[in-house]
Amino acid sequence: MSTTKTIKAALISVFSKDGLESIVKKLHQQNVIIYSTGGTEDFIKNLGIPVVAVEDVTSYPSILGGRVKTLHPKVFGGILNRQDNESDVQQMTEYNIPQIDLVIVDLYPFENTVASGACEANIIEKIDIGGISLIRAAAKNFKDTVIVPSVNEYATLLELISNQNGATTLEQRKLFATKAFHVSSHYDTAIFNYFNTDETYFKTSISEGQILRYGENPHQKGFFFGEFDKMFSKLHGKELSYNNLLDVDAAVNLILEFKNDQPTFAILKHNNACGLATRNTMKEAYLTALAGDPTSAFGGVLIANGKIDTTTANEINSLFCEVVIAPSFDEEAVAILSEKKNRILLVQHEVVLPNSQVRTCLNGLLVQDRNTITDTKGDLKVVTTTAPTEREIEDLIFASKICKNTKSNTIVFAKNGTLLASGTGQTSRVDALKQAIEKATNFGFELKGAVMASDAFFPFPDCVEFAHLVGITAVIQPGGSIKDELSINYCNENKVAMVFTGTRHFKH
């Protein structure tokens, strides 16, 4: 038996009618019998095209306020029968069941209804029963039936039946079935997550994905699953790579800490800030951030908390960088930054980031709440006899924001709204401190009067001692070590101010 099938009868029951008219007209031209019900039936009638009501096939009306329309053996028998099975063929004749070769469905918009803030009663009514059943039935019987599971596949179907005069191959039907199970599983996951209150259950489904050039390294495959276009408008440049996306993610989370501050500019490399500054103008902020580590800035990701104007763009243009992100750009700034054909320019939109973070671990996943705590002045507990000055408090909060978004173990030095240096991703806190001191020294920064932030407590007083010896005058850390007093005593003896926040900011 040939695996190529010609569509002779179609069942159409959809929520979205966008693009449906052309399909219905093409099916009519090809002498396809069309079955439908409810609003879709009315839509087809209004086009002046013959349509058979499902109720006329089943001898049952739409009942229970439209909850039951297509759920009937004469409908599902027409979809699920195996045309190469003698018993099925006999029963189709015995029970006068019409053959259905094509099923077109578009489900009730459950996710959009939830997102709209609708009441529970309205949300429940948007749980599609008949539609999801039609999708699964037709997809299961892909050997004989074509399933179009959403409005997103209307155009594909129209092209196929137009080019092939209503015929489909087994391979094409199987591809439609794959998309159908993708739609149904995503839909059921959304419904489950609406009802679920047990945090030990985890289900997620992302309906959109894209193939990346490669993963972290050229020999690894890479994919991104998410709605990138909701977060950004891409103005210019090449396709983002796996590593670009990781850096963009780190940049977005970092600059979020400074969303309501004066003009702030950050430069990141391998997910860590190598330069960051807050100033009166974006140009000043950029130039100061760049001076923090001009070597690491090469090939980095740049992000601003406000508009990038023409004068700032002129300065940026002399630096080789992969990505530049801002809430907006001057028109001339875009033209300047677009002179480098591969440089990626992104306008960041107002988007709420997910509440949870997910990563693979061993043969499963780790899930945690996103770290949404940002240390503020009200969180600071002065634990030394010397209290920090107002200027030092501002710098301590500034340094803590950077520290929170830097790989552990980390130490951050800051002064006058400027990142002077950081030690990142070290196996010991002392090593992170020594790395920060070395970087600050190499780039000629004076650490006298600077402040220090640590992502976790000091188990010994060595860190505050080394910091004091290079000029650090104030320290911010979570506290919580059984030996906190050793660090406090050293600070008291040397008139160094230290505050505890009570919140650790590990980042691995």
Side-chain angles (χ1 to χ4, degrees), residues 186-343:
H186 179 81
Y187 196 77
D188 284 341
T189 297
I191 295 170
F192 167 79
N193 286 329
Y194 171 74
F195 282 98
N196 182 41
T197 58
D198 188 337
E199 293 183 336
T200 63
Y201 293 156
F202 177 78
K203 284 181 171 58
T204 189
S205 176
I206 300 174
S207 59
E208 295 186 27
Q210 66 184 84
I211 300 172
L212 304 175
R213 296 197 305 274
Y214 51 80
E216 204 160 7
N217 299 291
H219 63 277
Q220 296 170 270
K221 289 182 179 179
F223 307 87
F224 173 73
F225 296 95
E227 297 175 302
F228 186 84
D229 291 342
K230 280 192 175 180
M231 285 198 68
F232 302 99
S233 292
K234 183 181 172 189
L235 304 181
H236 180 74
K238 62 183 180 181
E239 292 300 313
L240 282 95
S241 69
Y242 182 98
N243 292 328
N244 287 155
L245 289 166
L246 285 176
D247 281 332
V248 168
D249 178 69
V252 166
N253 280 279
L254 174 60
I255 209 67
L256 185 62
E257 308 284 348
F258 302 90
K259 180 179 178 180
N260 299 316
D261 293 1
Q262 287 184 289
T264 300
F265 207 104
I267 304 172
L268 291 89
K269 194 75 170 287
H270 295 294
N271 309 158
N272 294 309
C274 58
L276 195 152
T278 298
R279 288 293 184 273
N280 291 323
T281 69
M282 198 59 74
K283 176 184 174 180
E284 289 179 273
Y286 166 70
L287 291 174
T288 307
L290 178 63
D293 187 348
T295 302
S296 296
F298 183 86
V301 169
L302 283 57
I303 190 165
N305 71 345
K307 178 185 285 188
I308 291 182
D309 55 26
T310 303
T311 57
T312 308
N314 277 319
E315 297 293 343
I316 294 171
N317 202 34
S318 61
L319 174 72
F320 169 72
C321 55
E322 291 275 331
V323 186
V324 183
I325 311 165
S328 61
F329 295 79
D330 280 346
E331 187 174 340
E332 190 175 346
V334 173
I336 292 167
L337 295 172
S338 298
E339 291 175 5
K340 304 293 192 294
K341 69 175 183 178
N342 288 329
R343 181 186 285 148

Side-chain angles (χ1 to χ4, degrees), residues 36-53:
S36 191
T37 187
T40 308
E41 180 188 353
D42 292 338
F43 175 84
I44 296 170
K45 284 180 178 177
N46 290 336
L47 294 175
I49 292 174
V51 56
V52 179

